[in-house]
Amino acid sequence: TYRKKVLDYRMFVRPDSLFSRELTLETQRQLSHLDAFKFVNINYDSTNSDGLIANVFTSPLSKYQTSNEFGFIQEAQQVPGPFANFANIGLKKRNAFGGLESLQINANLSLLGISNVGERDRVYSLFEYGGEVRLTLPRFLFPSSDEFKRRIGTFNPKTAITASYSYEDRTREDERARFSTGLAY
């Protein structure tokens, strides 16, 4: 179920208007950019009164999407490093609150060993982990007038709200933690 008002900002084919190939393609393009549908087709049927009825057919993408990446890098000339071991895991939920939003949660973990060039027996390491939460809305939050949202619909407006945390520990050097938030259009 999708919020009709949000879809309305991306629909440029309107009842009782003249047929326009450009508006049909723009509607199809805008609905495709929402990251909610596998495909978008718009077909026209004729009526008895020399008019056309626009039919919009879509197929939704899966509500959940996962991603993962694991890796290990070893340089053959130096033992035990440099080497890197990393893992990135992500989860995306489409239409999270019924308004065609997407909610993404990502986590990462990495370990990096660095050999000291002058002292082959000393290895420094870097341990890092973190995560990010991102909510992407298919519209501008502010200003919020309906007329403004409808007018800028062709520019594919989006609002992204993010919060992230990362921790880094450089053995024998320093450690730091960072928390950040953001709001972007």
Side-chain angles (χ1 to χ4, degrees):
T1 309
Y2 306 107
R3 208 168 282 138
K4 292 177 184 178
K5 194 171 195 175
V6 176
L7 285 172
D8 186 52
Y9 298 141
R10 303 298 173 95
M11 298 289 286
F12 300 99
V13 176
R14 298 277 177 206
D16 300 324
S17 63
L18 294 175
F19 171 78
S20 169
R21 182 175 185 272
E22 291 78 22
L23 292 179
T24 301
L25 293 175
E26 184 64 27
T27 298
Q28 190 172 20
R29 186 176 70 85
Q30 289 298 321
L31 292 176
S32 296
H33 284 308
L34 290 174
D35 190 30
F37 306 112
K38 290 180 195 175
F39 67 85
V40 178
N41 288 330
I42 302 174
N43 297 329
Y44 289 92
D45 291 333
S46 60
T47 64
N48 293 340
S49 61
D50 296 328
L52 296 175
I53 298 173
N55 297 300
V56 180
F57 298 99
T58 63
S59 177
L61 286 167
S62 176
K63 187 168 185 102
Y64 293 96
Q65 176 182 334
T66 59
S67 64
N68 57 56
E69 179 183 356
F70 299 97
F72 180 77
I73 302 168
Q74 173 70 46
E75 188 173 307
Q77 297 182 359
Q78 292 180 341
V79 176
F83 64 89
N85 189 2
F86 60 90
N88 296 316
I89 299 171
L91 173 68
K92 178 191 261 188
K93 182 178 181 183
R94 292 182 176 92
N95 199 31
F97 305 108
L100 294 160
E101 308 89 353
S102 71
L103 179 65
Q104 291 178 272
I105 301 170
N106 297 309
N108 61 58
L109 172 71
S110 64
L111 177 63
L112 175 65
I114 304 168
S115 293
N116 189 340
V117 176
E119 304 171 36
R120 294 236 179 245
D121 59 335
R122 293 185 68 190
V123 176
Y124 296 92
S125 65
L126 167 70
F127 174 67
E128 185 177 25
Y129 65 87
E132 179 184 67
V133 176
R134 174 183 294 265
L135 178 64
T136 305
L137 308 164
R139 62 194 173 281
F140 284 158
L141 285 180
F142 308 104
S144 60
S145 106
D146 286 342
E147 180 58 33
F148 178 77
K149 289 178 182 177
R150 195 168 284 112
R151 244 186 296 141
I152 64 165
T154 58
F155 298 113
N156 192 27
K158 292 185 179 183
T159 302
I161 303 167
T162 59
S164 66
Y165 174 79
S166 68
Y167 172 80
E168 185 178 293
D169 183 4
R170 294 176 183 257
T171 307
R172 299 184 191 144
E173 288 182 13
D174 66 345
E175 67 180 271
R176 65 180 171 180
R178 183 179 68 169
F179 178 75
S180 64
T181 59
L183 173 69
Y185 289 117

